[in-house]
Amino acid sequence: ILVLGDVMLDGWWSGSIERLCREAPAPVVDIQSRESVPGGAANTAMNLAALGARVSVAGIIGTDDAGADLRNQLVAAGIDVTYLLDHPDMVTTTKIRISSGGQVMLRIDDSAGSVPAEALAELAASVRAAVEHRQAVMVCDYGTGVLADPVRRSLADALAGRDRAEPGARPLLVVDSHDPRPWAPLHPDLVTPNAQETARMLDLRLPDGQERVAEVGRHAGTLLEATGAAAVVVTLDRDGTVLLRPDGVTHRTWARPAAEKQASGAGDTFVAALTLARSAGLPLTASLDLAQSAADVVVHQPGTSVCSTAQLSRYLKAFADTALDA
């Protein structure tokens, strides 16, 4: 599986708060632990690797300390970084969360204002080779500019080339994007917008709670047309997910929410497990159920976490004694 997109480094700094600072009514956090883990598209890749996939990452990082840290962690997880390019004028996107007592107090984001044109051109030129021999391509587009027009066009050409060379050989294409509409010409097999992204596409405010599901279902045709996708999976955080298809088939999954305030990246886990299950030949509805289970595992873990095959197996066994071993 190829993960193409916005790779980031997530920082989790935690400590105790016992006083306010003198110069402003702000808490002083005495930092006691610092942890950095792959985030964004890199977290999706880490989840895929933890579930047993052979993963390659394509994206752009800086030649800074954060970029070196991110690359080293991906390599340590067995992920191929041949197509993870670095550029001296690029800032590796970092998101540092500062927390105390399990509550995130502040998030500090550091990212490039723009992606260097030569770095974009280099990534675009490498896409065709990166797509070769992949069973699935995951696009993780969080709007940092790494997946601008040159890269998107190159991916479209690479997918069309695979199909021309061997009809039906085009890899599964899954798009996880803050705005899936620019990817519509590529006709993804799956897009996975969350509630906020879905509301933006529909230009309306979704109701709260379970009523969101019915509202999303009423606009299935609009969402399928806007995204150009064969199927849309709308993720509704605490309310699970809903599948929308042109044939009218719908499917719900139900989340097991956690009170954990530090949980992050469950959406990355969900889309990783969904892509892997579909690549392995599971039906779409079963793939969604499996992906929801993987997401349920990570929301009960602090920080930016991944779900391994062993954790997923243990979770599924808790429901019944009929789960098969390997």
Side-chain angles (χ1 to χ4, degrees), residues 21-314:
C21 63
R22 293 177 180 176
E23 61 273 21
V28 175
V29 183
D30 290 315
I31 297 296
Q32 287 150 356
S33 69
R34 290 180 177 87
E35 183 187 17
S36 63
V37 290
N43 182 41
T44 303
M46 293 289 284
N47 273 279
L48 282 163
L51 288 168
R54 291 192 295 276
V55 190
S56 292
V57 170
I60 306 171
I61 56 175
T63 54
D64 45 22
D65 290 345
D69 186 3
L70 181 54
R71 184 184 292 276
N72 289 339
Q73 291 199 48
L74 291 170
V75 170
I79 295 169
D80 173 32
V81 294
T82 303
Y83 305 103
L84 182 60
L85 311 177
D86 54 43
H87 193 279
D89 295 332
M90 181 78 175
V91 175
T92 303
T93 300
T94 58
K95 295 183 177 182
I96 298 173
R97 294 165 179 86
I98 298 174
S99 67
S100 180
Q103 173 67 58
V104 175
M105 312 295 296
L106 179 70
R107 195 181 87 181
I108 303 169
D109 289 9
D110 187 15
S111 60
S114 60
V115 181
E118 56 268 33
L120 268 182
E122 187 181 355
L123 180 61
S126 72
V127 166
R128 182 177 289 273
V131 169
E132 282 294 311
H133 311 300
R134 308 293 171 199
Q135 287 177 291
V137 174
M138 284 192 64
V139 171
C140 300
D141 182 7
Y142 308 132
T144 68
V146 165
L147 297 178
D149 284 343
V151 177
R152 200 158 46 236
R153 285 196 302 270
S154 289
L155 179 58
D157 291 345
L159 294 172
R162 281 278 302 267
D163 219 12
R164 282 194 301 270
E166 188 182 342
R170 180 182 134 139
L172 179 80
L173 177 62
V174 179
V175 172
D176 183 23
S177 174
H178 284 347
D179 185 357
R181 289 171 292 189
W183 298 95
L186 278 68
H187 299 292
D189 296 283
L190 286 167
V191 296
T192 57
N194 63 25
Q196 191 176 25
E197 293 154 359
T198 300
R200 267 202 306 270
M201 281 193 284
L202 296 174
D203 194 24
L204 55 80
R205 178 173 178 169
L206 293 176
D208 294 330
Q210 295 294 335
E211 292 175 24
R212 288 191 297 177
V213 176
E215 186 69 14
V216 165
R218 279 193 285 273
H219 293 88
T222 303
L223 291 169
L224 286 160
E225 184 179 358
T227 60
V232 176
V233 179
V234 180
T235 60
L236 300 169
D237 46 82
R238 299 178 71 87
D239 296 318
T241 70
V242 59
L243 166 68
L244 308 171
R245 296 204 305 199
D247 58 10
V249 172
T250 59
H251 182 73
R252 277 293 309 277
T253 68
W254 304 88
R256 297 181 72 187
E260 175 55 66
K261 298 179 180 65
Q262 284 194 44
S264 177
D268 299 331
T269 302
F270 177 87
V271 74
L274 175 61
T275 302
L276 183 54
R278 286 298 285 153
S279 300
L282 275 185
L284 183 51
T285 52
S287 299
L288 282 166
D289 292 337
L290 194 77
Q292 182 66 67
S293 296
D296 287 346
V297 168
V298 298
V299 297
H300 291 85
Q301 299 172 180
T304 305
S305 304
V306 300
C307 173
S308 69
T309 308
Q311 288 172 309
L312 186 55
S313 297
R314 282 197 298 274

